[in-house]
Amino acid sequence: MGEDTDTRKINHSFLRDHSYVTEADIISTVEFNHTGELLATGDKGGRVVIFQREPESKNAPHSQGEYDVYSTFQSHEPEFDYLKSLEIEEKINKIKWLPQQNAAHSLLSTNDKTIKLWKITERDKRPEGYNLKDEEGKLKDLSTVTSLQVPVLKPMDLMVEVSPRRIFANGHTYHINSISVNSDCETYMSADDLRINLWHLAITDRSFNIVDIKPANMEDLTEVITASEFHPHHCNLFVYSSSKGSLRLCDMRAAALCDKHSKLFEEPEDPSNRSFFSEIISSVSDVKFSHSGRYMLTRDYLTVKVWDLNMEARPIETYQVHDYLRSKLCSLYENDCIFDKFECAWNGSDSVIMTGAYNNFFRMFDRNTKRDVTLEASRESSKPRAVLKPRRVCVGGKRRRDDISVDSLDFTKKILHTAWHPAENIIAIAATNNLYIFQDKYSQRTHQALYGGLCTHHLIHPHSHLIKRIL
């Protein structure tokens, strides 16, 4: 598979006109598994598409890193809560992979109310030569069985089977915003606006409430839970963020109900920057532990921050994502963009962080060199091996030829969901119904910074009707 093959693969997706995007096709979550060999995406139509990385070929070494459709299935369907007269959307809010224990893969997917555990298995052989069954699987007339034979396994075309193993329902009154698998590989937690529940992967009919911030009188409610995650190494620790911009680290060894946090991470507000929008833009939309477990990465509307678990008073690093929007907050409030929830991601060595922005831009920050870059996920840069050019937003004054004015930004094009390969410099970017996969052009296996240039692997339309028909 060379570059010509890559181009055909892309053009195959373009057979359908993608200028019109249905709401159901919009990608709502992206997640690599623990090895990076599989990549899962979920959409607002309740579907999950899994991509598998192609093995390296001697004839085409550039094909290493190509991700092809491995399996697709309907995870959730729209439901209706008759007691509350409430429609429950099928949109996939989060996907989390479980560490692989055997040949099968497992993942959790959730919509607003129900979490499901899925098992993904491969089958490339089928049994033949049963004594009591015919080829169609029907029982034979025993009087016709005159001899016995040993059934044999014969090769067949590879079949990927996805089956639901557990359904965890009725655990949340409010909308689920995050799920996280514990390092003990036996439990996971799910969080909604006011509560966090702890589940055992083998038990579906009950969960333990470990955080409950619901006040006795809902009029006294001042903040909600926005995200939560388990520590990658210590199964007793987890963190959750709030709409007030604070982080609470909790230790499940201290009490069964972790209403009293072990540590509170909160940055004091600068009075000179106080405005009507201060509380809205300070709300944390995502929190991620570093792979080492030493740091936490948070994203609010305008910044990404790195926190040291040993220092609660303030973040050790703050990076401006799109500070040029500070003067546009009023119009962003009117069109509801100010409530967009951007995610953030670490690279495998915790040295570079990534997050999305508007106009299909995404930002990268090198923690060691303090350099940053703005890149764009667009059709123009989707040719295989095309090197991404840094983009620059011009606020005023002299404009360079390739600069884009802040007034020209398209706020309907936004990169909310991103994922980074756990061991290599490969990133997945979800832009509306398109999935872009980029890779460091210089190194596939090292954790050097990506400012030498990212090149496009391929553009995939995982949630287009065309691919669903082909599958």
Side-chain angles (χ1 to χ4, degrees), residues 82-277:
Y82 292 97
L83 291 176
K84 297 180 180 178
S85 296
L86 185 70
E87 288 186 10
I88 302 172
E89 291 183 346
E90 64 270 36
K91 172 194 167 191
I92 307 297
N93 291 341
K94 293 291 178 183
I95 291 174
K96 291 294 177 184
W97 291 91
L98 273 62
Q100 192 174 1
Q101 306 288 348
N102 48 43
H105 296 275
S106 299
L107 64 80
L108 290 167
S109 63
T110 183
N111 65 351
D112 286 340
K113 298 290 183 182
T114 305
I115 306 157
K116 296 184 180 181
L117 173 63
W118 298 90
K119 183 179 180 182
I120 302 104
T121 55
E122 290 183 355
R123 191 151 59 93
D124 59 359
K125 291 182 176 63
R126 67 172 183 269
E128 287 187 4
Y130 285 114
N131 291 292
L132 302 180
K133 294 180 182 178
D134 59 21
E135 293 180 358
E136 297 178 357
K138 297 179 181 177
L139 286 173
K140 295 180 181 178
D141 183 353
L142 296 181
S143 62
T144 63
V145 179
T146 58
S147 62
L148 296 178
Q149 58 183 343
V150 178
V152 294
L153 291 174
K154 291 195 174 181
M156 58 177 282
D157 292 337
L158 179 66
M159 181 183 295
V160 180
E161 297 178 334
V162 181
S163 55
R165 305 296 292 174
R166 306 272 192 281
I167 297 177
F168 305 89
N170 305 318
H172 288 274
T173 306
Y174 307 97
H175 290 177
I176 299 171
N177 55 47
S178 53
I179 52 177
S180 179
V181 180
N182 201 343
S183 59
D184 63 12
C185 301
E186 292 185 353
T187 57
Y188 75 93
M189 69 177 176
S190 57
D192 64 25
D193 294 337
L194 299 178
R195 296 188 180 100
I196 299 177
N197 292 337
L198 180 69
W199 301 80
H200 193 284
L201 286 164
I203 302 172
T204 61
D205 59 352
R206 63 182 180 275
S207 62
F208 296 97
N209 181 226
I210 53 176
V211 173
D212 188 347
I213 65 169
K214 183 181 179 182
N217 184 355
M218 285 295 281
E219 292 181 0
D220 298 330
L221 183 68
T222 58
E223 63 180 335
V224 296
I225 298 168
T226 55
S228 65
E229 187 173 65
F230 268 119
H231 191 279
H233 308 304
H234 302 298
C235 61
N236 53 289
L237 296 178
F238 69 93
V239 66
Y240 69 92
S241 58
S242 84
S243 56
K244 279 193 170 181
S246 60
L247 302 171
R248 291 175 173 85
L249 186 71
C250 300
D251 190 338
M252 292 190 292
R253 296 173 302 183
L257 188 63
C258 301
D259 283 349
K260 293 182 179 178
H261 49 267
S262 301
K263 290 187 176 184
L264 175 65
F265 300 83
E266 198 168 29
E267 185 176 22
E269 185 183 10
D270 184 354
S272 62
N273 289 334
R274 179 71 186 172
S275 73
F276 171 78
F277 305 107

Side-chain angles (χ1 to χ4, degrees), residues 362-380:
F362 60 98
R363 302 269 283 140
M364 288 184 168
F365 304 91
D366 190 311
R367 299 181 59 211
N368 297 324
T369 64
K370 304 304 178 186
R371 295 172 64 191
D372 65 270
V373 67
T374 301
L375 300 169
E376 182 180 7
S378 67
R379 296 274 180 82
E380 290 71 27

Side-chain angles (χ1 to χ4, degrees), residues 15 25 190 253 266 292 326 340 343 428 463:
L15 293 175
D25 290 337
S190 57
R253 296 173 302 183
E266 198 168 29
S292 66
R326 200 173 287 274
D340 286 334
E343 296 176 4
H463 303 274

Side-chain angles (χ1 to χ4, degrees), residues 280-299:
I280 300 174
I281 63 175
S282 66
S283 175
V284 176
S285 57
D286 195 19
V287 58
K288 295 278 173 61
F289 277 106
S290 63
H291 295 83
S292 66
R294 172 70 184 271
Y295 305 103
M296 295 182 295
L297 177 65
T298 62
R299 172 69 203 262

Side-chain angles (χ1 to χ4, degrees), residues 408-438:
S408 303
L409 295 175
D410 188 344
F411 294 105
T412 64
K413 295 179 179 179
K414 57 192 83 171
I415 304 293
L416 300 178
H417 313 289
T418 60
W420 203 310
H421 189 288
E424 299 181 30
N425 281 335
I426 298 175
I427 59 174
I429 305 289
T432 318
N433 69 323
N434 301 325
L435 178 67
Y436 294 84
I437 297 178
F438 303 106

